[in-house]
């Protein structure tokens, strides 16, 4: 199994940027899909961005043009660059890899 640990969250003003990181350790299997999910209070968990083992990416409509998912295989790390943040982006963000591997989540707060 793989352990995933998110970092880089915190408080940002509207219009600002954050870069989330997800460091993987353990029995990493290359070729798996990596994803970022988020869950806001009172809402269902939703997928934000996906990157496949071949590098293809997909984004939720709400974040297209503002968020960028990427990975560094040499560092076993997944990233989510978030620009032009707004209040609707405030949530707990989760990193996932393959089937059934989840990080603990990290808080992103957007407030002036």
């Amino acid at each position: 199994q793989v352990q995933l640990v998110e970092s880089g969250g915190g408080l940002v003003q509207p219009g600002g940027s954050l870069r989330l990181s997800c460091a993987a350790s353990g029995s990493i299997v290359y070729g798996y899909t990596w994803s970022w999910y988020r869950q806001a209070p009172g809402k269902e968990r939703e997928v934000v961005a996906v990157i496949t083992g071949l590098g293809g990416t997909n984004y939720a409509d709400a974040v297209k043009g503002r968020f960028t998912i990427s990975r560094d295989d040499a560092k076993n790390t997944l990233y989510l660059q978030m620009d032009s943040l707004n209040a609707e982006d405030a949530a707990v963000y989760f990193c996932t890899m393959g089937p059934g591997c989840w990080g603990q989540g990290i808080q992103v707060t957007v407030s002036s």
Side-chain angles (χ1 to χ4, degrees):
Q1 291 293 100
V2 176
Q3 294 77 50
L4 304 174
V5 180
E6 301 97 336
S7 62
L11 175 65
V12 65
Q13 293 185 342
S17 298
L18 284 175
R19 188 194 192 198
L20 303 183
S21 298
C22 174
S25 62
S27 300
I28 299 169
V29 178
Y30 296 97
Y32 277 6
T33 294
W34 295 69
S35 301
W36 288 98
Y37 284 72
R38 69 185 182 187
Q39 186 168 26
K43 297 184 178 180
E44 297 291 328
R45 188 174 297 180
E46 63 177 345
V47 65
V48 176
V50 176
I51 184 166
T52 70
L54 294 177
T57 59
N58 287 290
Y59 298 91
D61 288 342
V63 307
K64 283 183 178 178
R66 300 188 297 117
F67 289 13
T68 303
I69 187 171
S70 62
R71 68 172 187 267
D72 187 334
D73 290 337
K75 297 180 179 179
N76 297 323
T77 301
L78 178 73
Y79 302 99
L80 184 67
Q81 178 67 43
M82 304 184 293
D83 299 321
S84 301
L85 286 162
N86 56 57
E88 289 68 45
D89 297 315
V92 175
Y93 284 72
F94 298 88
C95 168
T96 77
M97 191 189 85
C101 297
W102 289 75
Q104 66 181 12
I106 189 165
Q107 180 71 51
V108 172
T109 302
V110 184
S111 176
S112 59

